[in-house]
Amino acid sequence: MAAFWHQRGRRQENGGLGSVIDGLGSVFDVLLANARLVLGVSGAAVLAIATLAVKRLIDRATSPRDEGDPKAEQKSLEESWQDLALIKTTPKPPTKQRREDLSEPLLSPARPLVPGEAPNPRGCSAPLGTPQVKSRPLRCLTLQEKLLSHSSQLAVPEIQVSLVPQLARSICSQLQNFLRSKCPELPFGRLFLSGALLDGLEVLAADHIHLMLPVVLDAGLWGLISGEDTVVRNPQYWMIKRIDLGYFPRGCSPWDRFIVGRYLSSNVLNETLHKLLVASINWPAIGGLLGCAIHPVVASRELKLEVKHDQVELSITLFPVVEMEDKVLLAVPPEGLVENLWLESFDRAEVSRVKELDAGDSGARQLCLRILNGICRSQPSLHKLGGSPVTHVILHLSDTAADWAEESLADRFQQVLEELVAYLEKGVLPSYFNPKINLFSGLLEEEIDEMGFVLYRAMSEPEVLL
């Protein structure tokens, strides 16, 4: 009995829908019969395709489904999506032509036949309906081209290159006159400028410069002791000892006032000069004379001046320097309780050696150094790697790699990265001029790990550093 009522209900449902479908079918027939007259040939074709798709959907929805087939429902859904796709892909009827379109040629000019290509029988360069798009092949730059392009972007404005040395020399002259008048008993040498901007190397930015203040010592009263023989056990530092006090007691040398424990104290000398720079020199008057604002940095351990000009901002650092026994020592003591140490500087030797090697084989060491220093300057994690460490790596590599021509810049650049990663992995970078000196000795272990990680990732893809 239940089966009977179920079959009866289905017949009633099909009968109701059948009457509706018959009515819709008659409407579709009338539309199709008059579509050609109203819509034209193209419009009638579009309407016919759409009507056919709708009829398929209705027939599939009302047709009896085989309940024993589990794939019947999925099959009907797939056919429905196919019919909807048929509706969406029907071509749109052409729009009404504009007046300006009538002046355009109907056929595009024929494309010349490429040798070896079969002629198109229709005389068309592409199938109908395919848009003509001119594809330009993308040119992938090599590492060599990217390095050269990057180096050209590191140029410093010419106005800064000419203005900064001129401004620094004027300040240097004013400071020299002040020291002679304020401290005539101290035999300071003639102040001179130093740094990449004055050394002839291509600089990255004209925003800092070094002002070297020579401290003239009598070789008969002073001697050098290597830092390796002191409690610090660091060969990069030296101590300047007062000698022959039995024959030449204190007071024989004008620098005896800066002695601490029979050693010339770099810390005491810096403190004295710091007081002079901050409290004794009328920097506002000097700045007004030179057309700039000059301010000594009070809180810094270094002897530093900040200069602000309309066209440039400059940082000048003053370094007392002692030259004895073919060594250049700077009054830069390490942080800690030891205050009598002087740092040995290899800046002059580095510049001279790099220029000498490049002049001998027309090499690109200075160009490679400039690019690497620019990378270290732009990467916060690599700041402490720029300058001397990179220079010494290039000098070490020059002993083994002979080809430093500009055409081999990419190969040498990658080699420098590999060498840097190897040195960082060991935590030791020996100085080119003194293998006992480790240029990484002042770095923390966390800083070494971070720099090594950044450069290790860049070994496989050096472009990420540019």
Side-chain angles (χ1 to χ4, degrees), residues 312-356:
V312 68
E313 292 187 3
L314 177 63
S315 176
I316 299 179
T317 305
L318 178 65
F319 290 102
V321 55
V322 172
E323 296 189 31
M324 290 183 63
E325 302 178 8
D326 299 329
K327 292 177 174 54
V328 180
L329 307 178
L330 303 181
V332 184
E335 296 183 5
L337 299 178
V338 182
E339 58 181 17
N340 299 331
L341 295 177
W342 294 69
L343 176 67
E344 184 175 4
S345 173
F346 299 101
D347 292 345
R348 190 182 304 173
E350 293 168 6
V351 173
S352 177
R353 183 59 178 164
V354 170
K355 287 185 177 181
E356 179 184 356

Side-chain angles (χ1 to χ4, degrees), residues 29 83 186 189 209 218 238 241 369 389 399 408 414 428 437:
D29 293 338
D83 292 337
L186 296 178
I209 203 166
D218 187 348
W238 293 78
K241 184 179 181 180
L369 178 61
D399 292 340
S408 303
Q414 287 185 302
V428 177
I437 298 177

Side-chain angles (χ1 to χ4, degrees), residues 215-421:
V215 176
V216 182
L217 299 178
D218 187 348
L221 301 178
W222 303 92
L224 297 182
I225 298 178
S226 173
E228 192 175 10
D229 300 330
T230 64
V231 293
V232 294
R233 302 296 180 186
N234 191 338
Q236 193 171 2
Y237 290 92
W238 293 78
M239 300 182 74
I240 304 176
K241 184 179 181 180
R242 180 69 159 84
I243 61 177
D244 291 337
L245 285 175
Y247 295 97
F248 304 99
R250 287 197 177 193
C252 294
S253 174
W255 302 106
D256 287 343
R257 55 187 286 192
F258 302 103
I259 288 179
V260 175
R262 296 187 63 179
Y263 297 96
L264 183 62
S265 174
S266 56
N267 192 36
V268 174
L269 180 58
N270 281 336
E271 289 179 355
T272 302
L273 291 174
H274 190 274
K275 292 177 182 178
L276 292 176
L277 290 178
V278 173
S280 301
I281 303 179
N282 189 358
W283 291 115
I286 297 176
L289 181 64
L290 302 179
C292 61
I294 306 175
H295 302 283
V297 181
V298 179
S300 175
R301 294 181 69 249
E302 298 178 325
L303 306 175
K304 184 175 293 185
L305 300 174
E306 296 292 344
V307 182
K308 292 186 179 180
H309 191 271
D310 293 338
Q311 297 176 324
V312 68
E313 292 187 3
L314 177 63
S315 176
I316 299 179
T317 305
L318 178 65
F319 290 102
V321 55
V322 172
E323 296 189 31
M324 290 183 63
E325 302 178 8
D326 299 329
K327 292 177 174 54
V328 180
L329 307 178
L330 303 181
V332 184
E335 296 183 5
L337 299 178
V338 182
E339 58 181 17
N340 299 331
L341 295 177
W342 294 69
L343 176 67
E344 184 175 4
S345 173
F346 299 101
D347 292 345
R348 190 182 304 173
E350 293 168 6
V351 173
S352 177
R353 183 59 178 164
V354 170
K355 287 185 177 181
E356 179 184 356
L357 291 173
D358 272 353
D361 57 8
S362 300
R365 295 172 184 83
Q366 298 178 62
L367 179 58
C368 185
L369 178 61
R370 181 189 182 198
I371 295 173
L372 288 168
N373 282 335
I375 291 172
C376 294
R377 184 184 179 91
S378 61
Q379 298 278 346
S381 59
L382 302 178
H383 277 179
K384 294 185 178 181
L385 199 59
S388 289
V390 173
T391 305
H392 284 251
V393 171
I394 291 179
L395 291 176
H396 282 303
L397 187 59
S398 297
D399 292 340
T400 57
D403 186 8
W404 280 90
E406 186 174 303
E407 293 77 12
S408 303
L409 176 62
D411 295 335
R412 300 290 82 80
F413 179 81
Q414 287 185 302
Q415 273 191 295
V416 172
L417 295 182
E418 294 172 0
E419 292 293 320
L420 279 171
V421 171

